[in-house]
């Protein structure tokens, strides 16, 4: 069965500093990985995905993620954080058993302070 | 293009009642998935519909059911509501549910069971 771990419940970073939100995964077969962001009282917004190809994936709002197969990680990064990036971030992996099921991590609350 | 819409946005019910939630996918999307989000269990997959057929199902009791119409709109129903069913219910749509497809989420329906 697929699983995703987000080891940090909360990440604090100062505005203008780089940010990293960590994610590790466990899958049998090829990993299809996604990052979503959730603002209060809102649904999930898609940021980026890794399907195949380049290990550095660029997404929306200046976010990127680095896929590392040997470390089974898919960390989300941004070179310069904004206060408006403060939100709940979810890493997810597509179920390889067919269908359209995503298995999500527990989420990481990002707080960007002035 | 309009995004995924869900109605109603908020719902209050009492134990033992039943409830129906509605989801309209992005135009052209044929796959609709449902997820339950709670503080304790996080994001959990309920089921997926594609071309009016349930293609995948999560580990939820039979009180949770769904259907999809020929225009790809989907409904989910919860019968005999329990307090633990209080949650944010999220609907997501994708083109065809292939491994590489992105799921786009609606704003959710916040269900409170009293």
């Amino acid at each position: 069965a697929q699983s995703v771990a987000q080891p940090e419940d909360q990440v604090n970073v100062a505005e203008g500093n780089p940010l990293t939100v960590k994610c590790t995964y466990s899958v049998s077969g090829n990993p299809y990985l996604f990052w979503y962001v959730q603002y209060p009282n809102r649904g999930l917004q898609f940021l980026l995905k890794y399907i195949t190809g380049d290990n550095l994936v660029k997404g929306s709002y200046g976010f990127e993620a680095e896929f590392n197969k040997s470390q089974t990680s898919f960390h989300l990064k941004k070179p310069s954080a904004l206060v408006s990036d403060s939100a709940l971030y979810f890493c997810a992996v597509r179920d390889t058993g067919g269908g359209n099921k995503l298995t999500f991590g527990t989420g990481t609350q990002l707080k960007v302070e002035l | 293009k309009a995004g995924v819409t869900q109605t109603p946005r908020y719902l209050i019910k009492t134990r033992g009642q039943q409830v129906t939630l509605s989801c309209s996918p992005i135009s052209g999307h044929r796959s609709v998935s449902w997820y339950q989000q709670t503080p304790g269990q996080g994001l959990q997959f309920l089921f997926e519909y594609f071309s009016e057929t349930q293609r995948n199902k999560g580990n939820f009791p039979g009180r949770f059911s769904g259907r999809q119409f020929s225009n790809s709109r989907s409904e989910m129903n919860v019968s005999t509501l329990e307090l633990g069913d209080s949650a944010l219910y999220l609907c997501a749509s994708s083109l065809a549910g292939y491994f590489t497809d992105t799921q786009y989420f609606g704003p959710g329906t916040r269900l409170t069971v009293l």
Side-chain angles (χ1 to χ4, degrees):
Chain A
Q2 288 69 227
S3 66
V4 168
Q6 292 182 245
E8 300 157 317
D9 290 337
Q10 181 159 322
V11 169
N12 296 322
V13 64
E15 188 175 49
N17 283 359
L19 69 87
T20 298
V21 182
K22 294 179 181 176
C23 172
T24 58
Y25 66 89
S26 173
V27 300
S28 53
N30 293 323
Y32 301 96
L33 300 158
F34 301 78
W35 275 102
Y36 286 87
V37 60
Q38 186 176 36
Y39 293 95
N41 300 314
R42 304 274 290 275
L44 302 180
Q45 278 180 245
F46 169 72
L47 285 176
L48 51 81
K49 65 183 178 184
Y50 173 82
I51 302 300
T52 187
D54 288 342
N55 290 341
L56 187 63
V57 180
K58 293 193 181 296
S60 307
Y61 314 116
F63 284 93
E64 57 191 27
E66 188 171 7
F67 172 72
N68 188 316
K69 189 173 182 178
S70 62
Q71 297 184 5
T72 61
S73 66
F74 189 54
H75 300 332
L76 182 71
K77 299 173 186 280
K78 188 174 183 183
S80 179
L82 299 171
V83 171
S84 57
D85 292 330
S86 299
L88 186 57
Y89 290 79
F90 290 97
C91 182
V93 62
R94 171 69 53 79
D95 190 298
T96 56
N100 214 5
K101 175 185 174 184
L102 287 175
T103 297
F104 285 89
T106 51
T108 298
Q109 185 70 48
L110 174 66
K111 187 173 181 182
V112 182
E113 299 163 314
L114 287 169
Chain B
K1 231 180 206 183
V4 178
T5 58
Q6 292 187 245
T7 56
R9 291 292 311 278
Y10 301 91
L11 209 47
I12 299 175
K13 292 286 187 179
T14 56
R15 279 181 299 172
Q17 287 186 310
Q18 75 163 13
V19 66
T20 299
L21 312 182
S22 181
C23 171
S24 292
I26 293 171
S27 177
H29 285 194
R30 295 168 61 197
S31 170
V32 174
S33 299
W34 289 88
Y35 294 83
Q36 182 196 64
Q37 185 178 22
T38 59
Q41 299 298 317
L43 280 154
Q44 293 186 287
F45 173 79
L46 280 156
F47 30 64
E48 181 213 357
Y49 286 86
F50 178 75
S51 292
E52 302 179 63
T53 301
Q54 188 180 88
R55 189 161 65 172
N56 210 347
K57 190 177 189 307
N59 294 326
F60 280 82
R63 301 185 296 107
F64 291 81
S65 63
R67 59 177 176 169
Q68 187 180 34
F69 302 94
S70 59
N71 62 357
S72 294
R73 190 177 69 86
S74 178
E75 290 181 346
M76 69 163 279
N77 183 77
V78 187
S79 62
T80 320
L81 284 166
E82 301 177 1
L83 294 179
D85 296 333
S86 294
L88 181 66
Y89 289 89
L90 294 164
C91 164
S93 77
S94 65
L95 273 171
Y98 295 134
F99 288 127
T100 55
D101 283 354
T102 298
Q103 291 186 45
Y104 295 93
F105 285 79
T109 295
R110 172 76 62 184
L111 172 64
T112 301
V113 182
L114 302 176

